[in-house]
């Protein structure tokens, strides 16, 4: 497949998978890689990705043999078309379906209580708290409307099996608020892990696994330290991020 002039094809170095990306649209970063590594997903699971963008998160899961059947929800038409092209590029039409729709309408496309895991790298920007991006696709990918998360969580609850998982990455500074919102949608936070850019710097990402209708018991995984003092990746990160070392955190 030949990319357009404004596109690149990245070799994910995972089971031969490749990814078409737009040069001037939102491009995946370390948060997607960390989320794919953090996610505890069985090889036989059905997985839905809310806000899939170009589909990178599902390809990272596929390359790690996490999941068997995948649904990629994307509300932006251009991004959904790109995700569909990436599915065809990797010949995954039999296992991966791109759905151009809002996550809140998930029940229109998937049977209720039929998905093992919903995974999400949601928009981080709080309403009115970040500058608008000159690129519409970047702005939508980075910013959330007042009800964006509520729509995602409502949609996730409707399609998740009993004890199904909702897994996401979010700014560490907003950990309390996102856990509170998860609980309000009957998705109980069960496991979390903080990611630190340097050992002497505050955490800037939190990875969370919530379980549908679970009892409240919260466990923590050891912290992830991304960079050594000299700016090189730590040995732990090399084991999960060894092929994307040039991506900024």
């Amino acid at each position: 497949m030949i990319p357009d002039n404004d596109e690149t094809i990245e070799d994910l170095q995972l089971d031969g998978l490749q990814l078409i990306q737009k040069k001037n649209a939102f491009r995946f970063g370390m948060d997607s890689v960390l989320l794919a590594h953090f996610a505890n997903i069985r090889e036989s699971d059905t997985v839905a990705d809310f806000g899939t963008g170009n589909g990178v998160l599902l390809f990272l899961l596929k390359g790690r043999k996490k999941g068997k059947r995948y649904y990629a929800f994307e509300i932006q038409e251009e991004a959904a078309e790109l995700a569909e092209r990436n599915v065809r590029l990797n010949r995954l039409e039999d296992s991966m379906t791109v759905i151009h729709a809002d996550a809140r309408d998930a029940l229109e496309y998937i049977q209720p209580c039929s998905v093992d895991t919903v995974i999400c790298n949601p928009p981080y920007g709080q309403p009115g708290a970040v500058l608008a991006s000159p690129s519409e696709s970047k702005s939508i990918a980075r910013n959330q409307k007042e009800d964006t998360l509520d729509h995602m969580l409502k949609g996730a609850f409707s399609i998740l099996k009993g004890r199904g998982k909702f897994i996401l990455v979010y700014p560490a500074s907003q950990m309390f608020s996102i856990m509170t919102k998860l609980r309000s949608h009957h998705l109980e936070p069960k496991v979390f892990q903080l990611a630190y850019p340097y050992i002497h710097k505050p955490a800037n990402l939190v990875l969370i696994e919530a379980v549908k209708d679970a009892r409240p018991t919260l466990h923590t995984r050891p912290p992830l330290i991304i960079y050594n003092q000299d700016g090189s990746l730590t040995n732990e990160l090399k084991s999960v991020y060894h092929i994307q070392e040039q991506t900024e955190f």
Side-chain angles (χ1 to χ4, degrees):
M1 182 177 293
I2 300 175
D4 294 336
N5 291 333
D6 65 337
E7 297 174 342
T8 61
I9 294 184
E10 312 291 342
D11 182 358
L12 295 179
Q13 297 185 27
L14 285 170
D15 201 26
L17 296 171
Q18 296 179 303
L19 185 78
I20 303 170
Q21 294 199 98
K22 294 286 185 181
K23 294 178 181 178
N24 297 315
F26 186 80
R27 296 170 68 87
F28 84 93
M30 187 174 283
D31 47 0
S32 294
V33 180
L34 296 180
L35 184 57
H37 173 72
F38 171 82
N40 182 17
I41 297 174
R42 297 168 299 189
E43 191 171 352
S44 60
D45 280 357
T46 297
V47 182
D49 179 16
F50 283 1
T52 198
N54 57 23
V56 61
L57 187 51
L58 292 185
F59 294 118
L60 292 172
L61 293 177
K62 176 68 174 177
R64 288 164 171 77
K65 302 188 185 304
K66 296 183 177 185
K68 181 178 181 180
R69 186 74 180 91
Y70 307 93
Y71 295 95
F73 282 83
E74 176 52 55
I75 194 170
Q76 296 185 77
E77 183 176 3
E78 184 178 8
E81 291 175 352
L82 183 56
E84 181 61 43
R85 288 172 60 202
N86 278 319
V87 171
R88 295 197 303 270
L89 173 66
N90 292 285
R91 299 177 181 177
L92 293 175
E93 294 93 334
D94 291 341
S95 62
M96 197 173 294
T97 301
V98 177
I99 300 170
H100 176 213
D102 194 316
R104 66 178 172 180
D105 300 322
L107 275 181
E108 295 183 15
Y109 303 90
I110 302 178
Q111 291 294 317
C113 305
S114 63
V115 171
D116 298 287
T117 300
V118 173
I119 196 163
C120 182
N121 183 358
Y124 291 162
Q126 293 298 308
V130 295
L131 295 174
S133 169
S135 164
E136 182 181 2
S137 63
K138 288 184 180 181
S139 179
I140 294 174
R142 291 174 178 168
N143 299 282
Q144 59 179 256
K145 298 179 181 179
E146 293 288 350
D147 53 2
T148 299
L149 273 175
D150 288 304
H151 287 173
M152 286 183 171
L153 298 179
K154 184 177 179 180
F157 184 88
S158 68
I159 62 174
L160 279 172
K161 297 177 180 179
R163 308 288 294 182
K165 298 174 183 177
F166 183 86
I167 303 173
L168 81 162
V169 58
Y170 216 67
S173 61
Q174 299 172 35
M175 182 171 68
F176 179 77
S177 63
I178 187 60
M179 286 190 176
T180 300
K181 188 172 285 289
L182 285 165
R183 297 191 74 183
S184 72
H185 287 270
H186 305 285
L187 298 167
E188 185 65 34
K190 300 293 288 184
V191 181
F192 77 95
Q193 185 174 36
L194 289 166
Y196 298 76
Y198 292 90
I199 195 168
H200 60 283
K201 296 286 188 179
N204 57 357
L205 290 177
V206 61
L207 302 139
I208 302 172
E209 175 190 298
V211 177
K212 180 177 178 178
D213 288 331
R215 294 182 178 180
T217 305
L218 187 60
H219 304 279
T220 181
R221 290 190 191 174
L224 281 170
I225 311 299
I226 308 301
Y227 295 115
N228 295 309
Q229 294 261 14
D230 62 2
S232 61
L233 285 178
T234 61
N235 288 334
E236 184 176 12
L237 258 292
K238 287 179 182 178
S239 69
V240 300
Y241 196 61
H242 57 92
I243 57 148
Q244 286 95 11
E245 292 186 7
Q246 295 180 354
T247 301
E248 295 182 358
F249 187 48

